[in-house]
Amino acid sequence: MSQTSESSLSLRQVLTVPYVALILILAVTIGILSYVAGSRAVATVSDHLLIETVGRIGQAVDRHVVGSGAVLEAVFPNGMPAPASIESDLGSLRTRMWIATSLHIDPNNYAYYGNRAGQFMGLWRNSLDDGELRLKLKAEDARTFYNFKGISGELQEASREAKVYDPRLRPWYKAGESARMHTWTAVYIDFRHGGLVATRARRVLNAAGEFEGVVATDISLKGLNDFVANLALSKNGIAFIVEPNGDLIASSASPNIARQPDGSNKRLAAADSGHPLLAATYAEVRDTLASLKQAKLPQTRTFSGPDGQTIHAAFDRVKDDAGLEWITVVAVPASDFMQGVTENVLRTAIVGGFAALLAVVLGLRILGWVAGDLRRLSQSARAIGEGDLESPVGIRRNDEIGQLARSFEVMQQRLRTDKLTGLANRDAFMRRLDGRIHRHRRLADGIPFAVLFVDLNHFKQVNDRLGHEAGDKVLVEIAERLREAVRASDFVARYAGDEFVVLLDRVENRDQAERVRAHIEHVLAQPLRSVDPAPLGEQALGGAVGMALFPLDGDEAELLMRVADREMYTRKFGARGERPWGDSEATRQ
């Protein structure tokens, strides 16, 4: 007698349950794959954003300290001998100190000088108009403080110190005395305002070539700390600047100075900051730098932080020729990056379950749509990480994935090109120029490069007579001409309006750059092809091209741009027989 098994499930259940289970398994599988793809995308994007952020901090440090060298050179220009007595050069020295503290009054508002005879003179700028002169002409005297207004204002005695201040015993004097070039003292706490200060010093020789004294300037680091504290990071992200010995210079997560029980202040080390993520990140960076002395920087690291959470970090080292060496660090928990991806995977699972119960086919299509979007995000993130800024994301949604996609597209748009001409935009050009300058300094590349500033002639006539649509066509045509007129290694960008800029990557000398400029001016002077030039009459379009050669005309990006811009206006108005800086320049400013 055969035995038969009876199922307690209905036919509908038999047909539906396995299929629904299969769909649920598929939904879970897709969710896992989506999560993995999203994780990879986030890892790529996080590295890119963290390196960009740590680079911004490094640029802020450069801007903060770069003026200190100019201050010292303004007080005692290179080759100017120091007098044997401050009293013999008091008026001239006071004038130079006033000029020096006017160069970068924030943060370089204090310049001072001490000599081997124990004399001292310092000028503190309270504002653009008010100053304080600190003076002692005999080693055994205390310093006298004088208030005055303007560069040559009458000195009015305000106070005199009770203790004798001997500059020869101060750290800045000893550092400058022993160093052959510019040097930085260690960062210290200023007793007047209780904030962190760094001092840059340089020895000064007399007419016989012998050591005579030390000139120095103080830099308050409060502005740098405020910049780091106000960085737009994630909810739990941190940024900080630290010396190689671990002492904090600036931090977004903790103070850099600790109050002692006796009421005094003490510098705070990263390891003692009381912030677990900051201490753990510094330990990771410290160990990495110790094991990779020659590592290419900036670098990113992923490590296990407090409570086992995954941390993404980026760090860099800021150096200058005076011995400054600081480390800039940014760290963000992976959960901050993954929050949107995690929420989206959960949503995917809910949609998959609902689709399995109500509409299997619709559910599968929705899951496939979500998975496809995440894959496109992953591919776009990977492309951005590899430097490809042209591939569109191609996602139009109103949820978190859509927000992330639009963030990608906004980032691409900012980093990529000018919308009209297809050239690089102004920000991209300035980043390329800054990078070229840093590469020159880092690699000691002796071959100069040039910046060309192009301004079209009579372009307003094109818009007035042919219309703005024709003007746009002309800009596109000019952009194409400029691209074809230079080498593949050169970089062309639209600066603003009818202004373009070109970075000639490597030029042997000024003559070679002049030949390129002449070629570009010739190319620009050719008849227009994109519009009918007849309504323009005899006025050829053409353009004026200003040039600045690095490093002969400047060693900073902004200075090179100003030189090239000014030369362009000189050539433009000189060709017309007008004054270079007439109404047009005033309007432009």
Side-chain angles (χ1 to χ4, degrees), residues 7 15 204 279 310 398 499 584 589:
S7 173
L15 293 177
V204 182
T310 300
N398 294 323
E499 297 174 335
S584 297
Q589 292 179 345

Side-chain angles (χ1 to χ4, degrees), residues 71-387:
V71 171
L72 301 188
E73 293 304 317
V75 177
F76 275 103
N78 188 29
M80 172 180 283
S85 171
I86 290 179
E87 189 173 8
S88 65
D89 194 33
L90 182 60
S92 176
L93 185 56
R94 173 186 166 186
T95 299
R96 296 199 303 273
M97 284 187 175
W98 177 274
I99 294 173
T101 52
S102 300
L103 298 177
H104 305 278
I105 195 169
D106 183 13
N108 300 111
N109 67 328
Y110 186 34
Y112 48 96
Y113 168 71
N115 63 16
R116 60 181 180 176
Q119 295 179 316
F120 176 87
M121 179 175 177
L123 195 150
W124 175 279
R125 294 289 293 278
N126 297 312
S127 66
L128 290 175
D129 299 320
D130 296 332
E132 179 182 83
L133 188 69
R134 303 171 180 180
L135 183 66
K136 60 173 291 182
L137 300 179
K138 294 181 180 180
E140 63 273 14
D141 289 346
R143 291 188 301 182
T144 302
F145 291 5
Y146 300 91
N147 293 330
F148 66 98
K149 288 183 176 294
I151 188 171
S152 301
E154 181 180 355
L155 298 179
Q156 298 179 353
E157 183 174 338
S159 62
R160 180 171 297 190
E161 288 183 325
K163 295 182 179 180
V164 175
Y165 177 92
D166 192 337
R168 297 167 296 186
L169 303 179
R170 307 304 297 174
W172 58 269
Y173 188 94
K174 295 180 179 297
E177 181 181 20
S178 59
R180 305 297 300 178
M181 305 295 291
H182 288 234
T183 186
W184 288 97
T185 66
V187 176
Y188 59 94
I189 301 174
D190 188 272
F191 72 91
R192 291 182 300 273
H193 54 72
L196 292 184
V197 172
T199 298
R200 184 166 182 159
R202 176 174 68 83
R203 67 189 326 213
V204 182
L205 306 181
N206 57 25
E210 300 170 338
F211 170 79
E212 186 63 37
V214 175
V215 60
T217 183
D218 290 347
I219 298 180
S220 171
L221 302 182
K222 181 181 182 301
L224 197 58
N225 190 68
D226 292 343
F227 173 84
V228 172
N230 293 325
L231 275 176
L233 299 172
S234 67
K235 178 181 178 181
N236 301 300
I238 62 171
F240 60 94
I241 305 172
V242 65
E243 291 187 281
N245 66 356
D247 287 342
L248 285 171
I249 296 173
S251 171
S252 65
S254 72
N256 51 18
I257 296 175
R259 175 74 69 173
Q260 299 300 295
D262 61 0
S264 63
N265 290 329
K266 178 183 178 182
R267 291 195 62 189
L268 194 63
D272 302 325
S273 63
H275 193 282
L277 179 55
L278 192 153
T281 303
Y282 171 69
E284 178 71 19
V285 171
R286 177 195 60 203
D287 295 342
T288 301
L289 290 174
S291 60
L292 298 174
K293 291 294 187 182
Q294 303 302 322
K296 181 181 179 182
L297 296 175
Q299 282 200 6
T300 59
R301 280 289 181 274
T302 301
F303 64 96
S304 180
D307 301 326
Q309 58 181 330
T310 300
I311 306 298
H312 295 291
F315 59 94
D316 198 359
R317 181 186 285 116
V318 180
K319 284 185 166 184
D320 72 358
D321 56 5
L324 181 142
E325 181 177 356
W326 294 345
I327 301 166
T328 58
V329 187
V330 177
V332 177
S335 57
D336 285 12
F337 287 114
M338 291 296 295
Q339 182 177 0
V341 176
T342 303
E343 292 176 354
N344 185 72
V345 171
L346 178 60
R347 185 178 296 106
T348 300
I350 295 174
V351 171
F354 184 74
L357 295 174
L358 299 179
V360 173
V361 175
L362 179 61
L364 288 174
R365 293 184 62 183
I366 292 175
L367 289 172
W369 178 32
V370 172
D373 286 348
L374 287 175
R375 282 193 296 271
R376 281 196 292 272
L377 280 175
S378 177
Q379 293 168 357
S380 296
R382 188 177 297 110
I384 291 174
E386 294 172 354

Side-chain angles (χ1 to χ4, degrees), residues 417-425 454 456 459 470-487 490-495 497-502 520 523-524 528-530 541-542:
T417 58
D418 171 66
K419 182 178 179 180
L420 174 64
T421 64
L423 295 176
N425 58 24
V454 181
L456 301 183
F459 181 75
D472 289 347
K473 291 181 180 180
V474 170
L475 291 175
V476 172
E477 179 181 348
I478 294 300
E480 186 60 29
R481 290 189 188 184
L482 290 173
R483 263 195 295 255
E484 295 174 355
V486 298
R487 303 164 299 186
D490 299 328
F491 193 73
V492 184
R494 183 185 178 192
Y495 194 72
D498 60 340
E499 297 174 335
F500 297 82
V501 284
V502 181
I520 290 177
V523 168
L524 295 178
L528 296 172
R529 301 188 299 272
S530 57
L541 189 63

